[in-house]
Amino acid sequence: FGPLQEGGTFVLNSPWTNAEQLRENLKLEFRQFLVHKKIVVYNIDASSVARQAGMGRLINNIMQTVFFHLANVMEPAKAIELFKVEVMKTYKSKGPEVVKKNIDAIDMALDNLHRIQLPDGWEVARAGETQRPLRERNMAVPNLVTDVLDPMQLREGGTLPVSKFIPGGVVELGMTQWAKRAVAQKIPVVDMDKCTQCNKCASICPHAVIRPFLASPAEMKRAPAGFETRRATGGNAYAGLHFRIQASPMDCTGCEVCVTSCPDNALVMKDVERALKDGHKDAWDFAMTLPSRGERFDPFTVKGAQFNQPLLEFSGACEGCGETPYAKLLTQLFGKRMILANATGCSSIWGATAGWIPYTVDKKTGRGPAWGNSLFEDNADYGLGMVLSISQRRLHLAKRVEAAIQALVGTPEVQSTLVQWLEKKDDKEMSQIVGDRLQGLLKADADAKTLPAELKEVWRLRDLLGRPSMWMMGGDGWSNDIGFGGIDHAVALGENINILILDTEVYSNTGGQSSKATPLGSVAKFAQKGKRTQKKDLGGLLMTYRGVYVASCAMGANYAQCVKALQEAEAHDGPSVVLCYAPCIEHRTKTGLSNMGNDMKAAVDCGYWPLYRHDPNRIKLGEPAFQLDSKITNGKVKEFLRNQNRYSQLERAYPEDAKRLVADLDAHLAQNMELMRRRAVDKGTTAVKELIDGLKTELLVVYGSETGTAEAFARRFAKYAKQRGCSVRACTEMNDVCDLPSQDAVSVVAFVATCGDGEIPGGALVFRDALNNFKAGDLSKHSFIVFALGDRSYAKFCEAAKFFDRKLEECGAKRAGDMGIGDACDEDGPETGYTTWLPAALSALGAPAEKESDTPPEPPFHVEEVCPDGHPGLTATPHQLCPPGAVLARIVENRRLPPSDYERDIRHFVIDNTEVDLPFNLGDAVGLYPQNLPEDVEEALAWFSIQGDKVLSLRCLDETASARLMALAKQHTNARQIFTEVLDIFGKPSRSFCKALAKFASTTEAAELKAIAEGTRFKELQDASASFFDIFKMFPSAKPSLAHLLGLLPAMKWRLYSIANSADYTPGVIELTVVINQWPSKSGLKTGTSTKHIQKLKVGDRIAATMTNGTFTFPQDDRTPMVMTGLGTGIAPIRSFVQDRLYKKTVLKKEVGPMVVFYGCRHEREEFFYKEEWELYKKEGVLTQLVNAFSHDKPHYPPKMMFVNQRMEENTHLLGDLLGKQGGYFYMCGLAVAVPGIDKALKGAMVTEGVCTKDLDDKWITEMKECGRYSQESY
């Protein structure tokens, strides 16, 4: 307001229509400015006028009318009449309806313009009012904002001295977070009961103002009241976390794209003032304090990508901009290592607005995109120069690292890290991880300036230790017109460059001029009568170069395809180009940019914008390089075009021309789509010979796994199927194939475990939801077969697999064979059923016949000792491995619970979760990864004659290997670590292992091993609890190499333990009650691998742990009765439930309902754990009754044993009242063999107490389970 002179006129667009409302809402210093300068104040609610006139949010002509009325540049009435004439001319081509709306808005403007008379004292501070800052900012603001950007915002930039700016022509990232423009009148608000946690709203948001957040129970304690969450869903990666979608009221533009794109109608627009009163600003401010948890999830999924912090936020792009969602996604996938050359155009303007830079840095690592801008003419050359210079600088860095290795400078750990970086320098992930480790090792000497000469240059070039992701970005004008020559040159060179093209089909930034990307019949500047030539097929042109990856995307039409295309493009070793359809304000869409995502979908559905991916790497696999991802079109091209004024205005102005041009465009699109369909099935002449000769069966192997067993079987199957001559498209989680209807025909092989009481595994929940939404016939091109894994001691045996087996057929997939069943209770566990099912399944799938061979298969890993030329060798101790999805948690207590003279060892085992991200909810369970003991490992290494401490580098050769095994290739290791932390060599063998081992044995021993695999002797080995290692020792001729052992032996899986404490009652720790599992066998007393490891662990040691979702359901009302049975260490979760209610009663002051515990164990003295605690719970009035059943104590024993179900039978009135009459919840935790007796006691109590009749008791207990009032955790 600097230019506003004394006595000048000020017009405000606001809903505040009188002096008092203005006084309440305008800042004190601004009111004082208006009064002291004697400013004449007017107010108009132009936004309301626009809505009434049907103009949406467009207020420019309304405010222009006010200007003519007040400015007196000419006689006001005459000026407004002339203005109307110009409006009619301007909007004539858009039709009479648009013209009428604008004229109505002009006519209504002056009726709603009010002069505000400012009463005396209006500028005086109200009671308690103080001066407020220019922007509502809650955190410490950088000097650059207050000293430079704020004055620029106030139009005082000309007063700034040069000294205020950063030398070198650079600007800091992340400045838009301080802008807080508050321009939205309405913001999106979520209904968490409707939200399915798909994250599509965050994906499509142009300004990164609506995001998904994950909070732990501990973090939720400081959440504001309005921060409403639901438990995060989607698998064990989400265990212990709470989910919320939250928008920023001060940064949102109110575009509504998230609302119109939400598939669940879970978002509504709410007046921003109402939203602020409801606490949405506080909710956003709190959300921004939460840690980023993106590393937990696969970033190359729609949902997972949105948990990565967007490194492009709050830009100045138009509301509803179609360009920014792609650029934002690019930063979420690669932003921490991205270098971006941005062509001048819209993307360079919203990407770098005079200091307010929307590109930002990751709050955990401080890394973010390095951005630079060049002109249309040379941006491709600019970006290519960046690629070449980075390549040369990294080559120089590698030579310096080689020199440091040869000079043997630094500690052994420094030497090992240098060697490892040299190996991994081109690995996108590991180059940064190893580089960070190297920087940590060198920092102290670098700070002290004592680095050896050979390492000084390595330190100077440390910014290049991580491999950068190199990108160019620009619009269609750059890529199709002025900059096409540069792109063509860059692509033709074959360098590893990535190009993102944001195609708005016009020169958006300069006013909507026609480009070669403008389609036939579209009206644009320089094409007022409709463009008379077809849109340039840039993707088709670039595909003519061999080795170029090209993709066409439209995010709102297919989110997953867009993520996949960007992933494949960046991974491609060579040029890659991704073309993105970006709706723009210049399209003049009748529904406005609020429907930007739906406009993308409409463009794809009608065939206007085809989705495809052209990947030259597929040719090597005998597959067509070109994949058409939008094969089905609805033919509604004309309807799509008529929704955009750039087409419909031609229809009004030149109807005959429009009819001809639209018909030509329609025909061109149909012809183009047909050509693409043909290309998508053309494998070409360079397809791999084996595939041409008849690899007929293509398989898609998927798994729904909770503990890793189903995944292990799936990967074994995929590997074996490939050996049999099948083509395996992928071996992946079921959640990753939700796009199955759009995939090419394939045979789906599904391995499905059942968790809890018939529950779907987390890795299959999203696919379950997708299947439920598929229509009959959606999967008609596919065939399928299912293998189920379960335990027949459970009532809902293999229930999850049965569901998928049924639903796949209902959706049209053809059944290839009957469902196989792997039962944990069989002689060889699930292996028994799998061995029977496998031959029949492969035969039904059309796999080629097996070629018998006694030759060992190729190992899954290449194992190499690390010893550079002229180097004495490395012996550094490797870092403890952390399995994917796990954390290394510190042990804070490992206490024996029974007396030392008791035969059984049971532990109170406690790990710290304040140092690692391992939150949990009530009822969750923790998975602990065991290790083999040092003395056992030493014996195994000696048996195989393997040196344990030589540093090894592993390279995985088997893409079906598990993530656990693949992780071995990510760091240097040694054989000792592999035998200690990975190989389950002391685990339980299978028949198939004996058969596989025979290929490594002498002729005599091989015959014996085959006989074991196929005969009754295997049962004898089971009875003796023989381990893998025992069988190796029985057949000394079979001594596979370490590389082969990694294929023969399974990796150790985590063991699941129920959590014994409430996170609220005892925060910061995870408490477990663990029995050291020992049993007699024919070969002596045996101890389980996991509990043997736990028994030896000391306080301060670390153990790899992962959290899993519990299967318990809890009443919403804490006054609801809870009846619980805990058998042995099954008392652990029961203890946590009681602690939870104790916390709610004593700390939260809530009223809680009755709790009854039936506790069963052998002896009171030795196994009645936490006795003092139970007394406390009763004293505090939380535990209503504790009923014990000490099975092996007097007076009943001997001869009789007393079990929990018998105690329940003695308390039928208690059960009938709490469960039958008061609607309580029942929990059973313990051995599965006790379930029938407990169920019988429950049913008997309900009949005795008149809750149900005898003929309906089974129905009663079934309904209890189905409605979640009966939870069971048995083993």
Side-chain angles (χ1 to χ4, degrees):
F1 288 91
L4 189 57
Q5 297 178 8
E6 186 169 330
T9 300
F10 166 60
V11 182
L12 177 65
N13 167 30
S14 83
W16 311 314
T17 56
N18 58 54
E20 187 55 35
Q21 288 178 334
L22 287 174
R23 188 181 184 216
E24 290 176 1
N25 288 281
L26 295 181
K27 294 180 180 180
L28 175 61
E29 57 187 330
F30 184 56
R31 300 202 310 272
Q32 292 171 345
F33 168 82
L34 292 175
V35 171
H36 295 158
K37 283 269 193 175
K38 299 177 182 176
I39 303 300
V40 179
V41 178
Y42 286 85
N43 188 81
I44 179 172
D45 190 349
S47 301
S48 175
V49 173
R51 288 193 296 271
Q52 293 175 53
M55 295 289 292
R57 290 187 288 269
L58 303 177
I59 66 169
N60 53 326
N61 287 340
I62 299 167
M63 299 303 287
Q64 185 67 57
T65 303
V66 171
F67 171 79
F68 283 132
H69 176 71
L70 296 175
N72 287 318
V73 292
M74 63 186 300
E75 198 276 313
K78 183 178 180 181
I80 292 171
E81 283 306 312
L82 291 172
F83 180 46
K84 287 183 179 180
V85 172
E86 291 303 313
V87 165
M88 290 176 188
K89 287 181 183 178
T90 302
Y91 298 111
K92 179 183 176 182
S93 61
K94 296 188 177 183
E97 184 182 352
V98 173
V99 171
K100 183 179 183 304
K101 288 178 180 179
N102 278 276
I103 297 300
D104 288 347
I106 292 170
D107 290 339
M108 294 168 63
L110 299 186
D111 291 338
N112 288 272
L113 179 66
H114 305 287
R115 179 171 177 176
I116 308 297
Q117 298 294 339
L118 305 181
D120 292 341
W122 185 80
E123 78 282 14
V124 176
R126 291 177 288 116
E129 183 182 17
T130 57
Q131 287 197 358
R132 288 180 287 166
L134 177 68
R135 295 282 184 268
E136 295 290 341
R137 297 158 174 157
N138 286 355
M139 296 172 282
V141 183
N143 290 338
L144 179 66
V145 173
T146 55
D147 295 352
V148 178
L149 299 184
D150 282 349
M152 287 169 60
Q153 194 82 344
L154 294 172
R155 303 179 71 178
E156 296 173 355
T159 66
L160 296 173
V162 173
S163 59
K164 291 289 185 182
F165 295 88
I166 303 171
V170 299
V171 290
E172 291 186 19
L173 300 182
M175 292 298 101
T176 50
Q177 65 177 303
W178 310 110
K180 303 301 175 193
R181 296 185 297 159
V183 296
Q185 295 179 345
K186 293 186 176 184
I187 68 162
V189 172
V190 69
D191 181 344
M192 287 303 300
D193 289 328
K194 291 182 179 179
C195 179
T196 57
Q197 306 185 17
C198 68
N199 288 358
K200 288 181 179 177
C201 58
S203 298
I204 201 72
C205 176
H207 294 84
V209 300
I210 187 166
R211 304 181 192 178
F213 294 96
L214 295 168
S216 70
E219 290 157 354
M220 285 300 298
K221 286 185 177 180
R222 55 183 178 84
F227 196 80
E228 180 188 3
T229 63
R230 295 292 180 270
R231 277 201 182 190
T233 60
N236 288 333
Y238 297 88
L241 295 171
H242 295 255
F243 176 93
R244 177 167 178 80
I245 288 287
Q246 180 63 51
S248 170
M250 310 308 289
D251 298 300
C252 182
T253 65
C255 71
E256 299 184 49
V257 170
C258 57
V259 175
T260 59
S261 299
C262 177
D264 309 305
N265 295 317
L267 291 165
V268 295
M269 298 300 289
K270 180 181 283 192
D271 286 336
V272 69
E273 293 297 327
R274 179 73 262 169
L276 290 171
K277 289 177 181 176
D278 289 344
H280 282 270
K281 181 180 180 298
D282 293 338
W284 174 265
D285 290 341
F286 165 73
M288 294 306 289
T289 68
L290 295 171
S292 172
R293 291 186 161 97
E295 71 278 357
R296 283 174 166 249
F297 312 104
D298 180 358
F300 299 113
T301 61
V302 176
K303 185 173 181 177
Q306 293 312 304
F307 289 118
N308 284 335
Q309 179 189 344
L311 302 183
L312 172 68
E313 59 183 9
F314 320 140
S315 74
C318 299
E319 54 188 68
C321 174
E323 292 187 339
T324 47
Y326 299 107
K328 178 186 61 149
L329 176 60
L330 198 68
T331 70
Q332 290 173 297
L333 300 180
F334 315 114
K336 286 184 281 188
R337 57 185 185 87
M338 185 166 75
I339 298 177
L340 180 62
N342 200 155
T344 295
C346 265
S347 57
S348 73
I349 304 308
W350 53 249
T353 308
W356 292 104
I357 306 301
Y359 289 101
T360 189
V361 297
D362 176 65
K363 60 185 179 183
K364 189 176 287 187
T365 64
R367 296 191 175 99
W371 182 96
N373 163 238
S374 191
L375 300 174
F376 265 21
E377 294 87 339
D378 65 2
N379 187 66
D381 312 76
Y382 179 54
L384 178 62
M386 288 182 176
V387 171
L388 297 175
S389 66
I390 290 292
S391 296
Q392 287 301 311
R393 292 182 67 215
R394 294 195 88 231
L395 185 62
H396 177 62
L397 172 61
K399 288 180 178 178
R400 299 279 62 78
V401 169
E402 287 177 345
I405 292 169
Q406 292 301 321
L408 297 178
V409 295
T411 64
E413 189 173 6
V414 167
Q415 279 286 297
S416 177
T417 307
L418 288 167
V419 171
Q420 193 163 358
W421 181 84
L422 205 57
E423 286 179 15
K424 305 296 183 184
K425 64 182 172 63
D426 293 323
D427 185 294
K428 301 174 179 69
E429 177 189 4
M430 291 309 300
S431 61
Q432 191 67 67
I433 291 174
V434 179
D436 288 346
R437 190 182 304 152
L438 180 61
Q439 288 187 65
L441 294 170
L442 300 182
K443 189 176 187 307
D445 285 341
D447 291 345
K449 301 189 184 305
T450 56
L451 275 177
E454 294 85 354
L455 289 174
K456 287 181 179 178
E457 189 70 355
V458 173
W459 181 256
R460 185 181 72 83
L461 296 169
R462 63 189 181 279
D463 63 305
L464 296 172
L465 288 168
R467 177 182 168 180
S469 181
M470 307 298 297
W471 286 85
M472 306 173 198
M473 183 172 76
D476 51 276
W478 162 64
S479 57
N480 287 269
D481 293 0
I482 303 173
F484 173 71
I487 288 178
D488 181 67
H489 175 66
V491 168
L493 283 178
E495 292 289 336
N496 193 356
I497 58 174
N498 304 294
I499 305 174
L500 187 74
I501 297 171
L502 306 169
D503 193 348
T504 64
E505 302 187 324
V506 286
Y507 282 83
S508 300
N509 187 52
T510 52
Q513 293 84 358
S514 173
S515 77
K516 292 187 184 72
T518 303
L520 182 74
S522 174
V523 174
K525 290 179 181 176
F526 308 142
Q528 294 295 338
K529 294 184 179 181
K531 185 158 177 281
R532 301 299 164 121
T533 57
Q534 295 287 357
K535 177 185 176 80
K536 183 176 182 177
D537 184 8
L538 182 59
L541 285 169
L542 295 174
M543 280 184 239
T544 60
Y545 289 111
R546 293 176 62 86
V548 179
Y549 179 96
V550 184
S552 171
C553 304
M555 183 184 290
N558 191 326
Y559 293 84
Q561 188 262 1
C562 184
V563 173
K564 187 72 174 173
L566 291 175
Q567 177 191 15
E568 291 174 348
E570 210 270 343
H572 178 64
D573 188 13
S576 66
V577 181
V578 182
L579 301 134
C580 304
Y581 180 61
C584 174
I585 195 170
E586 294 297 341
H587 293 181
R588 302 186 293 281
T589 308
K590 292 179 182 178
T591 51
L593 284 177
S594 61
N595 275 285
M596 176 259 288
N598 292 329
D599 288 340
M600 291 179 177
K601 187 175 188 306
V604 171
D605 287 347
C606 74
Y608 178 87
W609 184 275
L611 304 181
Y612 61 78
R613 287 170 293 143
H614 172 83
D615 186 354
N617 298 304
R618 284 169 55 87
I619 297 173
K620 302 170 188 174
L621 305 174
E623 297 296 332
F626 186 84
Q627 303 167 81
L628 182 59
D629 295 319
S630 57
K631 301 179 183 67
I632 301 170
T633 57
N634 59 25
K636 297 180 179 179
V637 175
K638 292 177 183 176
E639 290 87 337
F640 170 74
L641 299 180
R642 282 178 180 147
N643 190 46
Q644 299 188 16
N645 263 320
R646 58 177 175 151
Y647 289 103
S648 60
Q649 72 182 73
L650 185 69
E651 194 172 22
R652 291 188 295 270
Y654 306 99
E656 290 303 316
D657 284 4
K659 184 177 180 180
R660 176 177 58 80
L661 291 173
V662 168
D664 288 349
L665 177 60
D666 198 355
H668 170 75
L669 293 174
Q671 182 184 31
N672 194 39
M673 182 61 69
E674 184 56 34
L675 289 172
M676 287 185 176
R677 289 191 182 106
R678 291 179 191 173
R679 183 184 285 180
V681 296
D682 180 14
K683 296 186 178 181
T685 58
T686 57
V688 177
K689 182 177 183 300
E690 302 96 279
L691 289 168
I692 295 175
D693 288 345
L695 284 189
K696 306 180 188 78
T697 303
E698 184 178 26
L699 307 178
L700 176 61
V701 184
V702 297
Y703 52 84
S705 188
E706 191 73 15
T707 63
T709 303
E711 178 186 355
F713 272 94
R715 293 192 181 280
R716 272 181 56 196
F717 175 86
K719 184 176 181 180
Y720 181 59
K722 289 181 73 174
Q723 292 170 359
R724 285 280 294 267
C726 297
S727 169
V728 177
R729 182 178 295 178
C731 180
T732 188
E733 269 193 351
M734 297 180 90
N735 285 347
D736 294 337
V737 295
C738 294
D739 62 342
L740 198 55
S742 64
Q743 289 198 28
D744 292 335
V746 72
S747 295
V748 179
V749 186
F751 290 80
V752 188
T754 298
C755 60
D757 188 24
E759 301 295 324
I760 305 289
L765 284 171
V766 179
F767 184 64
R768 184 267 316 269
D769 294 340
L771 263 183
N772 284 331
N773 290 322
F774 291 165
K775 303 181 190 69
D778 276 1
L779 304 182
S780 58
K781 70 181 96 168
H782 305 302
S783 60
F784 78 96
I785 192 168
V786 175
F787 185 76
L789 294 98
D791 183 330
R792 65 171 175 265
S793 64
Y794 285 81
K796 296 183 178 178
F797 178 43
C798 293
E799 195 70 25
K802 292 173 185 174
F803 166 81
F804 288 111
D805 188 69
R806 181 179 71 254
K807 288 297 292 185
L808 286 167
E809 192 165 38
E810 288 175 2
C811 292
K814 302 172 196 69
R815 181 180 295 279
D818 293 334
M819 184 176 81
I821 294 179
D823 186 352
C825 296
D826 281 346
E827 171 197 73
D828 196 12
E831 193 75 31
T832 302
Y834 177 73
T835 304
T836 304
W837 171 83
L838 182 62
L842 285 171
S843 175
L845 292 165
E850 182 176 17
K851 297 175 183 176
E852 285 292 334
S853 171
D854 291 328
T855 305
E858 289 296 316
F861 281 87
H862 172 73
V863 180
E864 184 178 10
E865 182 184 344
V866 178
C867 187
D869 292 341
H871 198 283
L874 303 174
T875 58
T877 303
H879 297 271
Q880 182 177 348
L881 292 170
C882 185
V887 295
L888 296 177
R890 183 171 54 87
I891 298 156
V892 294
E893 187 176 356
N894 189 359
R895 170 169 55 92
R896 180 185 171 100
L897 290 173
S900 58
D901 60 351
Y902 187 50
E903 59 184 358
R904 301 181 77 209
D905 185 358
I906 300 167
R907 297 287 170 138
H908 183 68
F909 189 77
V910 185
I911 58 177
D912 177 277
N913 71 341
T914 61
E915 303 170 343
V916 292
D917 190 26
L918 196 64
F920 64 96
N921 290 311
L922 190 68
D924 285 349
V926 69
L928 300 181
Y929 285 89
Q931 292 185 10
N932 293 315
L933 297 187
E935 56 270 27
D936 297 333
V937 168
E938 201 60 48
E939 182 186 1
L941 289 171
W943 175 261
F944 290 104
S945 301
I946 294 175
Q947 292 187 348
D949 298 317
K950 287 191 174 181
V951 177
L952 304 176
S953 174
L954 275 65
R955 179 164 50 88
C956 187
L957 307 174
D958 178 12
E959 68 270 21
T960 66
S962 68
R964 179 88 199 277
L965 284 177
M966 284 187 175
L968 279 173
K970 292 186 176 182
Q971 70 171 53
H972 282 164
T973 183
N974 58 32
R976 186 180 306 283
Q977 182 174 54
I978 293 171
F979 273 79
T980 300
E981 300 183 40
V982 180
L983 293 180
D984 194 13
I985 191 168
F986 303 105
K988 179 181 173 184
S990 62
R991 290 179 183 271
S992 61
F993 165 76
C994 296
K995 184 178 179 181
L997 185 62
K999 296 183 178 183
F1000 297 88
S1002 64
T1003 304
T1004 304
E1005 290 187 351
E1008 192 175 350
L1009 277 164
K1010 289 178 183 177
I1012 291 173
E1014 297 165 0
T1016 58
R1017 190 178 166 196
F1018 182 77
K1019 181 68 168 61
E1020 296 174 12
L1021 293 174
Q1022 282 188 317
D1023 292 341
S1025 295
S1027 67
F1028 289 105
F1029 189 50
D1030 290 332
I1031 292 178
F1032 277 120
K1033 289 190 290 185
M1034 290 169 58
F1035 299 96
S1037 68
K1039 290 188 176 178
S1041 67
L1042 178 59
H1044 277 108
L1045 284 172
L1046 286 164
L1048 272 173
L1049 296 170
M1052 284 190 284
K1053 296 181 299 185
W1054 43 261
R1055 272 60 162 183
L1056 207 56
Y1057 298 96
S1058 299
I1059 295 176
N1061 67 303
S1062 158
D1064 291 325
Y1065 186 72
T1066 52
V1069 293
I1070 298 171
E1071 301 181 8
L1072 309 175
T1073 309
V1074 181
V1075 60
I1076 304 304
N1077 188 22
Q1078 295 182 313
W1079 68 96
S1081 72
K1082 290 184 178 178
S1083 60
L1085 187 68
K1086 296 283 184 175
T1087 304
T1089 299
S1090 180
T1091 51
K1092 186 193 290 188
H1093 177 225
I1094 287 174
Q1095 193 176 35
K1096 299 288 186 180
L1097 285 169
K1098 299 180 179 63
V1099 171
D1101 289 345
R1102 291 189 179 269
I1103 188 168
T1106 187
M1107 193 58 61
T1108 70
N1109 289 302
T1111 58
F1112 299 105
T1113 57
F1114 299 98
Q1116 291 187 344
D1117 189 340
D1118 291 314
R1119 294 171 297 181
T1120 303
M1122 293 173 65
V1123 179
M1124 299 154 282
T1125 59
L1127 313 180
T1129 54
I1131 200 63
I1134 306 301
R1135 176 178 181 253
S1136 72
F1137 302 166
V1138 181
Q1139 285 184 354
D1140 177 68
R1141 282 208 169 169
L1142 177 61
Y1143 173 83
K1144 288 172 178 173
K1145 180 179 181 182
T1146 58
V1147 179
L1148 301 183
K1149 306 302 179 184
K1150 287 187 175 182
E1151 182 182 352
V1152 297
M1155 301 186 86
V1156 172
V1157 174
F1158 291 87
Y1159 186 168
C1161 59
R1162 298 183 187 185
H1163 301 287
E1164 179 178 10
R1165 172 180 172 267
E1166 291 84 1
E1167 295 190 18
F1168 182 25
F1169 303 130
Y1170 312 116
K1171 186 174 183 178
E1172 296 79 8
E1173 289 186 28
W1174 301 117
E1175 291 300 321
L1176 170 67
Y1177 303 148
K1178 285 195 286 186
K1179 181 181 177 182
E1180 293 289 344
V1182 174
L1183 182 58
T1184 310
Q1185 193 167 339
L1186 177 65
V1187 183
N1188 292 315
F1190 303 122
S1191 60
H1192 288 62
D1193 277 357
K1194 295 178 180 180
H1196 49 266
Y1197 181 86
K1200 180 183 175 184
M1201 289 189 286
M1202 177 64 70
F1203 295 112
V1204 159
N1205 58 298
Q1206 293 164 299
R1207 293 298 192 201
M1208 292 170 66
E1209 290 166 358
E1210 296 171 358
N1211 289 273
T1212 59
H1213 177 71
L1214 188 65
L1215 297 173
D1217 177 39
L1218 297 180
L1219 297 178
K1221 296 173 184 175
Q1222 296 191 44
Y1225 280 53
F1226 182 77
Y1227 302 85
M1228 184 276 166
C1229 311
L1231 294 172
V1233 294
V1235 173
I1238 286 173
D1239 283 0
K1240 181 181 177 183
L1242 276 176
K1243 292 188 289 186
M1246 296 307 113
V1247 173
T1248 301
E1249 300 302 319
V1251 175
C1252 66
T1253 57
K1254 175 65 178 172
D1255 58 323
L1256 294 177
D1257 59 355
D1258 284 331
K1259 181 182 178 183
W1260 178 86
I1261 207 162
T1262 299
E1263 289 176 349
M1264 283 280 288
K1265 292 179 179 180
E1266 288 178 348
C1267 73
R1269 287 178 53 209
Y1270 182 149
S1271 295
Q1272 175 186 323
E1273 188 179 84
S1274 54
Y1275 39 86

